[in-house]
């Protein structure tokens, strides 16, 4: 009896969570496909974006997930590139998570673009090297190939051959470039003062890292039934010791960045920055993002409970929501002031994502959830190199 | 080499929108996607209010940020300085719309501004987004002229289908010379008070060059560095900053 009570509850909670995950994934997939039908019949006219506000929720979702992929690769690299061995037990999960979040990002963007298939030949044949978007595509493609390759290698048990190490280092370098060019896609737009600035790639770097850490805090704990005694000793150590500390430091930096950006925006006289920042800062979303999504998890990380799975799940989940809101505010915020429309458009642009746009996000995320569930079931994500 | 440019005299413009209407007819534009609009700005309040008209085509910038950001080179500049979109290459990423400081680009598949959607009334065949009963210029996808296909971005072409047929070396395209009228951009051709001029900016003797020089032609939003090839004359050629109404 006693052995059963030792084992059974944990196994039960693991499979309960994994069943729940499957259910969420399948429901999301059905709902997302319904939205997909809307897209097929009505095209992009079913979006609430327009010539006034061009990039909406699907683009900010893309930014959120590809940067999360970046962050997960960073965490995996702690072990695989920088030799912090404590992170080996979560490394394979991170790499698979990076693959999945990259796929989610690509789906979201692919369904937003007018002619995605045409990209396959016009981008490589035209070499538009002045375009930050071209470089972003190049680096993300390189990163995607290396990431899949790296996963394939470790999935075959090859963690430390010369080739495997090299692919790991190369994918780490590629993703740094990829995320930096993604930052430049926005940061180089001098005509949009809310975005403009050379620090955007740095801001993206640090929030990407936070995003990756938050995903681990949430999903790895869920994978083990929100109970670190279900983990191997090494994994439990990484999750309860190092991870909360790194998470808290990076979260602290992101809070400083967020406050600094907001204060600068409120102080400046440039209308495209000041009016937009006033608008954002006074919104419920922003207040939630800052206080509940960032400050609260930060405070949680300062308590002794930071080592516990439950606290980590809450903190990770809240930070993920905050970062998602942050990406949305950033992408949409840069476009809220109408570009040279005179008195035809004399207020900030009104934009709420349409059902189709939300559906695309649901579709992409649920495909991601199912892919992750597949990995969890079939790809032995808890593997680590034999010490 | 010719460098086509436009001059718009704000002291003459009455804000009648005839140019916008002519452009709509010429290029089959629907409400909300006008290649050419007459914007107006209001500034200050009573008793010294200011109301400024801004006829606004694409500026065909010397340094077109739309072109620099395009990841496929679908947006390009011709040797004669006209900025065009090759619809065969455009992937509809809309980065050019983000990067154009003058807000003159339009994506095909947007919610219609007015219902019923005219595009649904005249549905397109093949790749074309609609099939209007009257079609203006000959379809020329490689130069972004004609009816837009789905999933691409379009903009004012300076009536490329007309100006590209003008005799080489022409300095000005105006209604003055009956032999050249066919090649005059629709907005310039229609403007009743002759507030618009079109010609070769590289030719110091063209009327556009002389007007710019004699009357201090101004380019809008100079700080963007895009260097428009559309110049404005008149004291009111300054865009007021954004205010929330
Ligand atoms: S006005 Fe805009 S679309 Fe036209 S050339 Fe300049 S940047 Fe490009
Ligand atoms: S929407 Fe078309 S023209 Fe504009 S940047 Fe993208 S590919 Fe180039």
């Amino acid at each position: 009896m006693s052995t059963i009570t030792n084992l059974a509850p944990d196994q039960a909670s693991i499979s309960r969570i994994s069943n729940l995950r499957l259910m969420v994934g399948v429901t999301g997939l059905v709902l997302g496909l319904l939205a997909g039908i809307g897209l097929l019949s009505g095209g992009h006219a079913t979006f609430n974006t327009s010539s006034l506000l061009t990039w909406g929720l699907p683009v900010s979702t893309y930014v959120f997930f590809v940067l999360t992929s970046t962050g997960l690769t960073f965490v995996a690299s702690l072990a695989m590139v920088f030799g912090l061995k404590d992170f080996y037990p979560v490394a394979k999960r991170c790499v698979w998570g990076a693959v999945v979040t990259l796929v989610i990002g690509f789906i979201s963007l692919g369904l937003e673009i007018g002619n995605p298939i045409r990209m396959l030949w016009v981008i490589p044949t035209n070499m538009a090297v002045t375009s930050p978007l071209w470089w972003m595509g190049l680096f993300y493609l390189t990163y995607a190939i290396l990431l899949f390759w790296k996963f394939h290698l470790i999935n075959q048990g090859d963690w430390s051959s010369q080739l495997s190490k090299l692919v790991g280092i190369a994918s780490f370098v590629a993703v740094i470039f990829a995320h930096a060019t993604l930052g430049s896609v926005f940061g180089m737009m001098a005509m949009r003062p809310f975005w403009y600035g050379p620090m955007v790639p740095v801001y993206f770097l640090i929030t990407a890292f936070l995003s990756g850490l938050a995903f681990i805090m949430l999903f790895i704990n869920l994978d083990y039934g929100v109970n670190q005694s279900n983990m191997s000793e090494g994994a439990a150590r990484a999750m309860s010791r190092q991870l909360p500390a790194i998470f808290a430091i990076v979260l602290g930096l992101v809070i400083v960045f967020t406050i600094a950006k907001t204060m600068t925006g409120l102080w400046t006289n440039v209308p495209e920055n000041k009016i937009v920042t006033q608008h954002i800062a006074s919104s419920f979303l922003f207040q939630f993002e800052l206080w509940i999504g960032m400050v609260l998890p930060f405070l949680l990380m300062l308590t002794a409970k930071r080592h516990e799975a439950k606290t980590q799940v809450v903190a990770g989940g809240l930070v993920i929501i905050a970062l998602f809101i942050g990406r949305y505010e950033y992408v949409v915020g840069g476009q809220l002031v109408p570009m040279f429309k005179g008195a035809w458009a004399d207020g900030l642009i009104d934009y709420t994502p349409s059902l189709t746009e939300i559906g695309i996000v649901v579709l992409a995320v649920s495909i991601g959830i199912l892919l992750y569930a597949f990995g969890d079931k079939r790809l032995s994500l808890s593997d680590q190199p034999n010490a | 080499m010719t460098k086509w440019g436009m001059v718009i005299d704000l002291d003459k413009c009455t804000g009648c929108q005839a140019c916008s209407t002519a452009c709509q007819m010429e290029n089959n534009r629907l409400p909300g996607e006008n290649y050419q609009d007459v914007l107006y700005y209001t500034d200050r309040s009573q008793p010294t209010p200011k109301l400024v008209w801004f006829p606004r085509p694409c500026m065909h910038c010397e340094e077109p940020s739309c072109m620099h950001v395009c990841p496929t080179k679908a947006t390009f500049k011709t040797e004669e300085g006209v900025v065009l979109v090759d619809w065969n290459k455009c992937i509809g990423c809309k980065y050019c719309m983000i990067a154009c400081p003058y807000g003159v680009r339009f994506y095909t598949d947007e919610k219609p501004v007015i219902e019923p959607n005219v595009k649904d009334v005249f549905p397109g065949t093949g790749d074309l987004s609609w099939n209007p009963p009257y079609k203006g210029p000959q379809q020329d996808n490689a130069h972004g002229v004609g009816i837009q296909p789905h999933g691409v971005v379009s903009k004012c072409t300076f009536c490329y289908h007309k100006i590209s047929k003008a005799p080489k070396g022409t300095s000005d395209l105006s209604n003055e010379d009956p032999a050249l009228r066919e090649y005059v951009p629709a907005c310039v051709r229609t403007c009743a008070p002759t507030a618009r001029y079109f010609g070769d900016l590289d030719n110091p003797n063209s009327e556009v060059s002389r007007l710019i020089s004699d009357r201090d032609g101004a380019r809008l939003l100079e700080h963007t560095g895009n260097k428009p090839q559309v110049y404005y004359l008149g004291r009111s050629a300054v865009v007021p900053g954004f205010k929330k109404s």
Side-chain angles (χ1 to χ4, degrees):
Chain A
M1 186 68 192
S2 67
T3 37
I4 292 172
T5 41
N6 271 348
L7 267 177
D10 290 339
Q11 292 298 353
S13 56
I14 290 176
S15 59
R16 200 171 49 238
I17 289 175
S18 107
N19 289 342
L20 190 73
R21 182 172 58 197
L22 266 183
M23 237 167 63
V24 171
V26 172
T27 317
L29 190 67
V30 174
L31 292 177
L33 285 176
L34 285 179
I37 294 172
L39 184 63
L40 277 183
S41 61
H44 287 130
T46 54
F47 281 21
N48 280 348
T49 48
S50 68
S51 295
L52 291 176
L53 192 143
T54 311
W55 285 348
L57 180 68
V59 173
S60 74
T61 305
Y62 160 75
V63 174
F64 174 77
F65 279 105
V66 294
L67 287 181
T68 302
S69 177
T70 305
L72 287 165
T73 298
F74 284 171
V75 183
S77 303
L78 289 177
M80 298 191 305
V81 177
F82 299 107
L84 299 179
K85 293 204 166 51
D86 277 339
F87 284 91
Y88 265 124
V90 294
K92 192 171 176 188
R93 250 169 227 284
C94 288
V95 178
W96 183 244
V99 169
V100 169
T101 43
L102 194 64
V103 170
I104 299 178
F106 284 170
I107 293 175
S108 187
L109 189 69
L111 293 175
E112 200 272 348
I113 280 180
N115 289 298
I117 309 289
R118 191 176 287 169
M119 281 198 298
L120 299 178
W121 65 91
V122 287
I123 291 190
T125 53
N126 284 286
M127 304 295 284
V129 294
T130 57
S131 169
L133 210 59
W134 186 85
W135 287 100
M136 186 200 78
L138 178 75
F139 287 125
Y140 267 111
L141 180 70
T142 314
Y143 166 60
I145 293 171
L146 291 167
L147 189 66
F148 279 94
W149 191 3
K150 179 72 191 179
F151 186 81
H152 174 69
L153 288 173
I154 56 178
N155 198 36
Q156 290 184 325
D158 175 7
W159 288 78
S160 50
S161 71
Q162 200 65 17
L163 175 73
S164 183
K165 277 191 179 145
L166 220 75
V167 174
I169 293 172
S171 63
F172 176 72
V173 173
V175 82
I176 296 238
F177 279 100
H179 108 274
T181 43
L182 175 57
S184 307
V185 163
F186 297 94
M188 283 181 178
M189 298 298 102
M191 65 296 288
R192 299 200 179 256
F194 185 75
W195 287 344
Y196 181 60
M199 292 301 279
V200 180
V202 182
Y203 171 66
F204 273 23
L205 174 87
I206 187 159
T207 46
F209 193 25
L210 181 64
S211 209
L213 290 165
F215 263 71
I216 294 168
M217 300 273 268
L218 176 65
F219 287 102
I220 294 196
N221 278 310
L222 287 180
D223 289 345
Y224 289 100
V226 198
N227 186 348
Q228 285 170 359
S229 56
N230 291 335
M231 297 177 185
S232 69
E233 201 191 318
R237 196 171 44 238
M239 291 298 290
S240 66
R241 298 253 178 88
Q242 286 92 335
L243 204 66
I246 301 176
F247 181 73
I249 293 170
V250 179
L251 178 55
L253 287 174
V254 170
I255 292 175
V256 170
F257 227 116
T258 308
I259 293 177
K261 181 165 172 39
T262 310
M263 295 311 290
T264 312
L266 292 175
W267 185 86
T268 178
N269 271 339
V270 178
E272 284 83 354
N273 207 345
K274 183 181 190 134
I275 295 176
V276 170
T277 310
Q278 280 172 342
H279 173 77
I280 290 177
S282 58
S283 71
F284 168 75
L285 274 186
F286 178 80
Q287 296 299 330
F288 180 90
E289 171 197 350
L290 180 62
W291 301 110
I292 313 286
M294 292 201 266
V295 174
L296 178 65
F298 184 69
L299 295 177
L300 284 176
M301 286 301 112
L302 298 183
T303 69
K305 288 199 180 314
R306 65 175 170 274
H307 308 296
E308 292 173 12
K310 275 197 191 106
T311 318
Q312 294 188 355
V313 166
V314 172
L318 287 174
V319 166
I320 289 172
I321 296 172
L323 286 170
F324 191 82
I325 296 173
R327 300 282 183 238
Y328 175 79
E329 278 167 343
Y330 182 75
V331 170
V332 170
Q335 307 167 70
L336 283 178
V337 170
M339 196 70 108
F340 202 53
K341 296 289 176 197
W344 300 123
D346 60 351
L348 292 181
I349 295 161
D350 218 4
Y351 166 74
T352 325
S354 72
L355 272 183
T356 314
E357 287 169 89
I358 295 170
I360 284 178
V361 174
V362 172
L363 179 70
V365 171
S366 51
I367 291 177
I369 291 176
L370 294 176
L371 263 181
Y372 188 79
F374 169 80
D376 195 31
K377 283 253 174 321
R378 293 291 169 86
L379 299 173
S380 322
L381 296 182
S382 304
D383 280 0
Q384 53 178 308
N386 305 321
Chain B
M1 180 52 96
T2 306
K3 182 164 90 182
W4 292 122
M6 192 179 280
V7 170
I8 300 175
D9 187 345
L10 297 177
D11 288 345
K12 280 184 173 179
C13 170
T14 61
C16 71
Q17 294 275 20
C19 47
S20 307
T21 312
C23 176
Q24 283 169 357
M25 299 298 288
E26 183 70 31
N27 294 295
N28 293 101
R29 308 314 300 162
L30 290 173
E33 48 166 50
N34 285 344
Y35 285 170
Q36 148 65 43
D37 246 328
V38 181
L39 309 180
Y40 67 91
Y41 278 92
T42 53
D43 207 6
R44 301 195 301 255
S45 52
Q46 292 289 6
T48 55
K50 183 178 167 190
L51 180 65
V52 195
W53 298 113
F54 272 114
R56 186 241 52 207
C58 164
M59 305 287 151
H60 293 269
C61 307
E62 274 173 36
E63 291 293 342
S65 44
C66 59
M67 178 180 90
H68 296 319
V69 302
C70 176
T72 66
K73 291 195 180 158
T75 293
F76 66 103
K77 201 164 168 67
T78 68
E79 285 194 337
E80 299 188 323
V82 184
V83 177
L84 299 171
V85 185
D86 180 344
W87 286 335
N88 299 323
K89 282 190 191 170
C90 177
I91 56 170
C93 66
K94 303 178 273 287
Y95 198 15
C96 51
M97 295 169 70
I98 292 285
C100 166
Y102 302 95
V104 304
R105 291 180 156 253
F106 305 93
Y107 184 57
T108 316
D109 306 294
E110 284 184 11
K111 272 216 165 88
V113 172
I114 48 166
E115 299 278 2
N117 189 354
V118 182
K119 289 183 178 173
D120 290 340
V121 179
F122 302 104
T125 43
D127 195 28
L128 297 187
S129 56
W130 67 305
N131 186 20
Y134 164 77
K135 282 196 217 57
Q138 205 106 50
Q139 193 73 23
D140 178 2
N141 282 11
H143 295 95
V145 173
I147 306 296
Q148 264 174 283
H150 283 291
V152 299
V153 166
S154 63
K155 59 179 267 303
C156 153
T157 65
F158 263 177
C159 280
Y160 183 77
H161 53 287
K162 288 166 167 274
I163 62 168
S164 57
K165 299 197 180 84
K168 292 278 163 254
T170 305
S171 66
D172 289 281
L173 288 173
S174 79
N175 290 334
E176 301 280 302
D177 183 349
L180 294 177
R181 255 178 226 162
E182 241 340 274
Y183 314 117
V184 179
C187 55
V188 180
R189 178 128 188 222
T190 310
C191 181
T194 336
R196 301 176 88 117
Y197 304 82
F198 192 83
D200 181 2
L201 297 173
D202 265 358
N203 180 342
N205 295 316
S206 65
E207 193 175 13
V208 281
S209 295
R210 275 187 285 115
L211 281 169
I212 292 166
S213 161
D214 294 350
R215 294 187 51 202
D216 270 342
R219 303 188 285 200
L220 299 186
L221 311 183
E222 269 293 14
H223 66 276
T224 64
N226 273 35
K227 301 188 189 143
Q229 284 170 210
V230 174
Y231 287 75
Y232 289 82
L233 307 178
R235 277 171 306 146
S236 52
V238 178
V239 184
F242 177 78
K243 294 186 299 298
K244 230 166 111 183
S245 64

